[in-house]
Amino acid sequence: MRTWKWIFCGVLLFSFLASCSSVASETGVFPSPVVTVQPPANLTASVQLNQEGMYITAIFRGGYGQSLLKEIKVELISPDGTRSSGVIGNIVGNSVVLKGSGCGDQVIGTAYFKNGKNYVILNEMMQYIRGICPADYYEVIDPCEKIANSPFFKPDPVQEIPANKSVIIQANVDISRIEVQFRGGFGQNLIKTIQVHRIGPDGSMETKNLGSRAGDEVVFTATNNCMDRISADVLFTDGTRYHFYDKVIRISRYMYL
């Protein structure tokens, strides 16, 4: 009789463990299957992600949709299913800091606009951080490392423009686009032409003429998901020319530590 009791108890225990195992396996899929959506041209919004250890900072960088933007919700999902979220406003420089695991966290950003529309504009996998992430997680190689070493990504020296002829431009990354805007300067009325160049890691170059009214803009399609180089030359009406801007624009969301 005792033997049958032990057998019966064993069957119950096995059934309980099996049910627990099935529940434990239903923790969801990582990374979460999320598809980003490119908003209409008048609603574009750009978010930059910086990673430092376990902490990830999401920063609003502007875009055509800035004045129509209500907020951007940023959600961080760790491989163990832990979630955290925050909200950034529509002022350039607004940011939120989220604590992750350092083990390849997923960051999703959804832009909400005043007209009731919303778009998932961001879905990024962050880096594995050596010394923070447990050994059972695999270490990945930064896919941008090889591109960063391109010989064409060595900016040429820029020339200093006299203060009375200063020219200001700004380059923003908007998902797969690089937007270069004219921001004014004391030399605005003395400009004859501004040429902006997009230089890829393979040495390819694309040149566009930028207008000299504040807010004028040229747009380049990024050649890859890591970085491109942007340079600019200004020619004044007095015949003087200056190579005044030359930077590698990081499209990658990763920040080297």
Side-chain angles (χ1 to χ4, degrees):
M1 187 68 179
R2 288 184 179 180
T3 301
W4 282 107
K5 286 183 178 180
W6 282 112
I7 293 174
F8 180 70
C9 291
V11 170
L12 288 177
L13 179 61
F14 178 79
S15 301
F16 174 75
L17 291 175
S19 63
C20 289
S21 298
S22 63
V23 172
S25 65
E26 295 175 359
T27 56
V29 178
F30 183 85
S32 295
V34 175
V35 178
T36 58
V37 178
Q38 176 72 46
N42 66 323
L43 293 179
T44 56
S46 177
V47 175
Q48 176 184 338
L49 297 181
N50 291 340
Q51 180 177 6
E52 189 168 4
M54 292 186 295
Y55 294 92
I56 297 169
T57 304
I59 309 169
F60 178 61
R61 289 305 188 193
Y64 284 123
Q66 180 176 353
S67 62
L68 302 175
L69 180 67
K70 182 179 179 182
E71 63 185 20
I72 298 176
K73 180 181 177 181
V74 182
E75 184 178 18
L76 184 149
I77 307 172
S78 295
D80 63 359
T82 303
R83 293 172 178 255
S84 61
S85 64
V87 174
I88 51 181
N90 67 345
I91 299 175
V92 174
N94 279 173
S95 64
V96 65
V97 179
L98 301 176
K99 184 179 180 181
S101 64
C103 300
D105 302 300
Q106 181 180 11
V107 179
I108 301 169
T110 306
Y112 294 86
F113 292 91
K114 297 174 183 177
N115 62 2
K117 301 287 187 179
N118 64 82
Y119 302 90
V120 179
I121 62 171
L122 183 68
N123 182 21
E124 296 287 340
M125 300 298 298
M126 306 308 292
Q127 285 180 315
Y128 288 72
I129 305 300
R130 182 184 303 162
I132 295 178
C133 189
D136 58 337
Y137 285 99
Y138 66 90
E139 183 179 344
V140 298
I141 298 174
D142 184 352
C144 298
E145 183 176 355
K146 183 177 180 180
I147 291 176
N149 292 326
S150 166
F152 298 104
F153 280 172
K154 294 180 180 179
D156 295 325
V158 296
Q159 299 169 292
E160 185 176 352
I161 301 176
N164 65 323
K165 297 164 68 176
S166 63
V167 174
I168 302 171
I169 65 173
Q170 177 180 328
N172 297 320
V173 176
D174 183 7
I175 307 176
S176 61
R177 309 179 342 150
I178 301 173
E179 304 166 351
V180 182
Q181 301 172 345
F182 180 72
R183 291 299 191 184
F186 290 116
Q188 180 174 354
N189 296 325
L190 304 175
I191 295 172
K192 186 174 182 180
T193 61
I194 300 177
Q195 287 192 320
V196 182
H197 317 283
R198 193 265 323 138
I199 305 167
D202 59 353
S204 60
M205 179 183 290
E206 182 181 4
T207 300
K208 294 187 178 183
N209 290 321
L210 177 64
S212 57
R213 293 181 301 178
D216 281 348
E217 180 179 83
V218 293
V219 178
F220 298 97
T221 299
T223 63
N224 57 83
N225 293 322
C226 295
M227 60 196 75
D228 274 310
R229 177 180 157 200
I230 297 293
S231 68
D233 302 287
V234 58
L235 174 64
F236 290 102
T237 54
D238 62 4
T240 55
R241 182 188 298 271
Y242 297 88
H243 182 71
F244 71 101
Y245 188 96
D246 203 324
K247 294 182 179 180
V248 174
I249 306 299
R250 299 188 66 85
I251 301 163
S252 168
R253 306 298 197 237
Y254 301 142
M255 179 178 70
Y256 290 108
L257 300 178

